[in-house]
Amino acid sequence: MPLRRGGRRLRRTRNFIFLKDVAALACTAFGGPSAHLAMMFRLLVEKRRYLSAAELLELQALCALLPGPTSTQTVTVIGYRLGGPNLAYLTLLVWVLPATVLMTLAALTLSHLNSERVAALVQFVQPVAVGFVAFSAYRIGEKVIQTKTAVALTVASAMLAYFFQLPWVLPVLLLAGGAVTTARYRKHTIETEKKPLQVEWANFLLWLGILVGAALLGHYTHWLPVRLFENFYRNGSLVFGGGQVLAPLLFAEFVEFKHYLTAPEFLSGLGVVQLMPGPNFSIAAYIGALAMRGQGSGTTGQVLGALVGTAGIFLPGTFLIFFVLRFWARLRQYRVVKASLEGINAVSAGLVCAATLLLYHPLPDRLLALPWHWHLGPIAAVPLNPLLVGTTFLLLLWERVPAVVLVGGALAAGALLG
């Protein structure tokens, strides 16, 4: 009995530390899914060792093949592996809470929001986030690329992802990479004691039941929160490719068709969410809050709109990944599936490499003036963003400076110099 109590206490402590790590990520993970993956790799893999680099890439690739927010699904699945469904739902809540609160506040204070001031505050966070992604690409490649085939897949996927920025490219590349290395399945040992493949349909039926039930309820009721939930739940069930694919769907439905907010308001929210830490899908809280303005319920109604928007957009992907995860461990026992993981991981590494370049390109050209006695002939200034990216990379390689300190320093610099 004392041993059992000690085991429960140890698990509780580990789960608390994990949730604290997720909270730290949620407050400092700027830059979108690629930067999120980089920071997960640094904190959850290298520092805490909750899972290996290959396992993180495998889970991230699995989530990328399903509709919904990939980084949210990935961190939620890690929580599921560590502590089951209860920890997974707590992980989801902790991960989405900071961005949701910030986007709700942005909607409530829309008329007072100075987007230029916010952009100035995070101006140095963006190149630091690129440095995180570059370092992640280096470390991931170091750990998962072991064969010439993997090198070729990494380079090819990086080039294709860079030149063809389309929402369907990501899942197609992952499937193609897995198909290439599947041919080498005979090199993997046969597991003599395979557990039979059993599919548990509970989470799939839950996803489908809510989808159909919300659609029927939304059709027969005029209560806006219910209809908002249905709208966001449907969009969250259909979108592949992340926030950049979600944005035009939400614009078409809530601006052009239903006129819940104006185009400038939508674009303001889209700009603000890019500057926030955590998931970009948190724009649903912003839209939900603005959609409830005309209901006569004041701030309480707008907060309710933000809550139903957040629940609607994040729950479908969560239900679907829980459905797949329950039989994934048994599915990967088969040699064909094991062999495909080499290609999937190599493609994932290539996608992170491409993300480094894609995230760097939108950064504005900024120069850092050198003191006169440091002038190198005609060179009186150096490009600032490459300097910040390189410095971040080297500091991460040094392994003495926590990621939170780097992000905090970038925010402080933006506040002082913006």
Side-chain angles (χ1 to χ4, degrees), residues 102-177:
L102 290 172
M103 290 307 294
T104 303
L105 290 174
L108 295 175
T109 60
L110 180 64
S111 59
H112 307 289
L113 188 65
N114 187 336
S115 57
E116 291 183 0
R117 178 59 185 161
V118 175
L121 179 66
V122 298
Q123 62 179 313
F124 301 120
V125 174
Q126 295 160 350
V128 167
V130 175
F132 276 110
V133 179
F135 181 76
S136 175
Y138 162 71
R139 277 297 172 85
I140 289 172
E142 187 180 46
K143 291 180 181 295
V144 304
I145 300 174
Q146 308 293 337
T147 65
K148 291 181 180 179
T149 303
V151 172
L153 286 172
T154 300
V155 173
S157 61
M159 293 177 65
L160 290 170
Y162 179 78
F163 287 110
F164 300 99
Q165 298 166 41
L166 300 169
W168 53 265
V169 167
L170 174 61
V172 166
L173 287 176
L174 290 169
L175 291 172

Side-chain angles (χ1 to χ4, degrees), residues 174-254:
L174 290 169
L175 291 172
V180 168
T181 54
T182 295
R184 304 168 60 178
Y185 77 95
R186 295 183 186 277
K187 294 185 178 181
H188 293 262
T189 57
I190 299 175
E191 289 195 21
T192 54
E193 297 183 2
K194 290 179 185 173
K195 295 180 181 179
L197 183 62
Q198 295 178 338
V199 179
E200 297 181 24
W201 293 94
N203 279 289
F204 179 81
L205 294 175
L206 179 61
W207 165 77
L208 184 62
I210 294 177
L211 181 67
V212 175
L216 290 173
L217 196 59
H219 178 74
Y220 289 107
T221 184
H222 294 290
W223 197 41
L224 188 55
V226 173
R227 300 175 71 176
L228 283 174
F229 178 82
E230 187 278 327
N231 297 156
F232 284 110
Y233 193 91
R234 173 169 34 84
N235 280 289
S237 299
L238 299 175
V239 64
F240 292 83
Q244 69 273 21
V245 181
L246 180 68
L249 295 177
L250 297 183
F251 183 85
E253 178 151 359
F254 294 105

